[in-house]
Structure formats: structure tokens, C-alpha cells
Amino acid sequence: MRNILIAIIICCSFFPSFAQKQFKNPDFFLRKGEQVPKVLLVGSFHFNYPGLDAHKTAEEDKINIYSKKKQKELQELLNYISKFRPTKIMVEAGKNTGYLHKNYNRYKKGEQKLHASETSQIGMRLVERFNLDTIYGVDAPSLLFELHQQKDSLAKLTYIDTIFKRHYFGGEDEISKRYSEYYSYRNEISVKNTLLETFKYMNSNKVLNRGFGAYIAGGQFTSKEMEGPDALSMLWLNRNLRIFRNIQKIEHSKNDRILVIFGSGHIPILKWLFECTPEFELVKFNKL
């Protein structure tokens, strides 16, 4: 038995396994050792509850961001995000973000509250903290939305009109009902836990990935033909690809640290895009 073991060891030393071979990291070619801008994605629930998402938040599960308790929690959250030291802040708003600055200036003069939205409560407060000169709105409409809006209202209905009206998110199937239960639990989290605890949970990998799963696991996505996949790709996926392109288009340097604040539903797709591109280095929220 001892001789057999010795023979095996000798053979292994002369014939190294395939796994021991060293292959070059793709970034050896794609980054060539150069520094690239760092990006931190922060997925949030909407502090002002605009009611535009498919799953509506019950009144008892809504927080009051203006309350003394939540403002204290907000400072803890801001202190945590500040570890990233952002040089540019990009938010879920249109390119014209003058209304955010106008609100901020009135807030500083004591004439108005800072908007309840996360774009103001997180974004504008960090603009002030790091003395940045502006905030960037990088949201975008989807291709499907634009094609539908440009259509002559008197023209005959087309396939585009059909899939635009599809509610590809949610449904009465079993997995959609389970997601509804899960989202109710998520809404309760923001009430029962601090903002930082809630954000750490919302921005964890499993939660983000399963969040995107709601779009593809059931509901109208699982259409008999291809209406579900077509609607999702031309509406939700396309919108996030356009958001990513807007971020790309903003001038940046290798030393920039770009903070992106969006509704948490956007983050799984944006995370995938930033993980794939060699142009940026993604920093995970829970690794700060």
C-alpha cells in the first residue's frame, strides 16, 4: 500500500493537473493595470411612497422620514455610505435636477422641507457633506414607452401597443403570490428596523437577485407566446440599459468614486452591468 501511494505522488509531480495551470485574468488585457473609477450602488425603497411600483405599501408599513427617530437613523445611514467618499452622486431623476437644488436652497433658508424622497434625503445631504457642485439625474424612459408615446392615437393597434399594456410583473400564479408575501415582509422591515439595517438587507446579493427573479419567475412574463419576454426586455431591461448608458456618458476620471442611488428594483440589473464592464470597479454596499 505504501508503494502504491509513493507511485501516485510521483505521477502527480510529473503530470500536474489542469486546475494547477495559471490563466491570465481578462483584466490583464482589458485594464492593463490601470486604475478605473469605483462605483457604489445603493438600492433604496422610495421614502415618499409615490405608489408607482407594482406592489403597493400598506399605510402601516410606511415610515415618516421626517420623524426624529428616522432622521437619527438617516444620519447613521449617511455616515455608513460616507465611508465610500463619493466624488459624484447620481440619482433616479431626469437630467434636469434643478428642482433638487432649488429645494435644497430653500431648505437651507428655512423656507421649505427637504423633499422626503431618497434622492434628497440621501443624495442632496451627501452633496452637502462632501461639498460637491452638483447632483446628476441619470434616469431614462424605456424604448417601449417612447414608441408607444410617439404612436398616432388614431392608428391601428400594433404588437407594440399590445405588449406595452401587459403587466409583466406579478399575477395570480403561486410564485407571484409568494413574492407578494415576501414584499409585504420587506415593507415591514423598514418599520421594525433601522434604516442602515434595512439597507444592508436590501442590498445583499441574495435579496437583490431574488428581487429581479420576481420579473421572470411567473406572472405575465410566462406568456404562452413571447409577449412577456418582449415586454420585459423592451421596457424594464431597456430602461436600465439606458440608465447605465447615461452614467457612462457623464465625464469621469480614474480617481472618481461614483455613488448611484436608485430604487432597489433597478440595482440587480445595474449590478450585473457594472460587474461585466471593465470600465468601472464595483464596490459592494455591505463591504464598506
Side-chain angles (χ1 to χ4, degrees):
M1 184 67 180
R2 182 171 177 273
N3 291 336
I4 293 174
L5 289 173
I6 292 172
I8 292 173
I9 293 170
I10 292 173
C11 286
C12 288
S13 65
F14 281 102
F15 300 100
S17 69
F18 181 77
Q20 290 175 316
K21 293 188 72 172
Q22 296 296 312
F23 293 94
K24 289 183 178 179
N25 186 314
D27 288 340
F28 175 84
F29 304 96
L30 303 177
R31 287 185 179 170
K32 295 186 179 295
E34 297 171 355
Q35 183 175 325
V36 296
K38 289 181 170 58
V39 173
L40 175 65
L41 300 174
V42 177
S44 174
F45 62 95
H46 296 308
F47 292 175
N48 54 339
Y49 303 98
L52 300 177
D53 294 327
H55 185 83
K56 306 296 188 255
T57 304
E59 286 299 320
E60 63 269 21
D61 292 330
K62 293 181 179 180
I63 67 162
N64 177 8
I65 195 62
Y66 294 124
S67 72
K68 186 175 180 180
K69 179 176 181 292
K70 286 302 175 185
Q71 283 293 307
K72 183 178 179 180
E73 292 176 10
L74 178 64
Q75 290 306 313
E76 180 187 30
L77 176 62
L78 294 176
N79 291 340
Y80 181 78
I81 297 174
S82 291
K83 295 178 181 180
F84 180 66
R85 306 187 310 280
T87 58
K88 286 184 171 67
I89 297 176
M90 305 183 187
V91 296
E92 188 174 349
K95 292 181 181 179
N96 179 14
T97 56
Y99 74 97
L100 292 177
H101 286 281
K102 188 174 182 179
N103 172 238
Y104 175 74
N105 290 331
R106 288 180 173 177
Y107 161 75
K108 292 298 288 184
K109 294 177 182 177
E111 299 173 353
Q112 192 177 34
K113 283 184 176 180
L114 201 59
H115 290 320
S117 67
E118 65 280 2
T119 55
S120 290
Q121 293 293 325
I122 299 177
M124 288 306 299
R125 287 184 186 279
L126 289 174
V127 165
E128 177 184 31
R129 181 175 294 201
F130 288 93
N131 196 30
L132 305 180
D133 57 359
T134 193
I135 193 169
Y136 299 90
V138 291
D139 201 359
S142 69
L143 172 62
L144 186 59
F145 176 81
E146 288 190 338
L147 291 175
H148 181 75
Q149 291 296 105
Q150 293 167 8
K151 184 179 181 298
D152 186 341
S153 60
L154 299 178
K156 187 177 179 180
L157 291 179
T158 66
Y159 180 66
I160 293 296
D161 301 304
T162 301
I163 63 174
F164 178 78
K165 294 178 180 179
R166 284 189 72 86
H167 299 287
Y168 59 87
F169 185 92
E172 294 303 317
D173 54 289
E174 180 60 27
I175 191 65
S176 294
K177 290 178 181 178
R178 292 183 184 185
Y179 263 105
S180 181
E181 181 182 3
Y182 166 59
Y183 280 120
S184 293
Y185 166 73
R186 279 185 47 170
N187 289 338
E188 293 173 7
I189 285 177
S190 63
V191 176
K192 297 178 180 179
N193 298 275
T194 68
L195 285 174
L196 180 57
E197 289 168 339
T198 300
F199 272 66
K200 283 187 173 183
Y201 175 75
M202 290 177 65
N203 287 277
S204 60
N205 277 334
K206 189 64 171 281
V207 170
L208 289 173
N209 292 340
R210 287 293 185 260
F212 180 68
Y215 293 92
I216 58 176
Q220 305 254 346
F221 178 79
T222 53
S223 55
K224 185 176 180 181
E225 300 299 333
M226 289 298 173
E227 301 95 329
D230 290 346
L232 181 63
S233 58
M234 293 183 69
L235 190 64
W236 188 239
L237 287 175
N238 179 262
R239 180 181 169 192
N240 284 283
L241 284 166
R242 287 181 165 201
I243 291 167
F244 179 78
R245 181 66 189 122
N246 280 339
I247 294 171
Q248 276 184 323
K249 288 193 292 186
I250 292 176
E251 186 177 351
H252 52 263
S253 73
K254 64 180 182 180
N255 296 315
D256 267 325
R257 304 174 67 86
I258 302 169
L259 172 63
V260 180
I261 306 166
F262 262 76
S264 60
H266 296 270
I267 303 302
I269 304 173
L270 293 176
K271 178 171 76 76
W272 173 63
L273 296 173
F274 278 109
E275 285 174 340
C276 289
T277 179
E279 299 175 286
F280 301 94
E281 180 182 341
L282 186 63
V283 176
K284 293 185 177 180
F285 184 85
N286 284 324
K287 296 292 185 180
L288 287 178

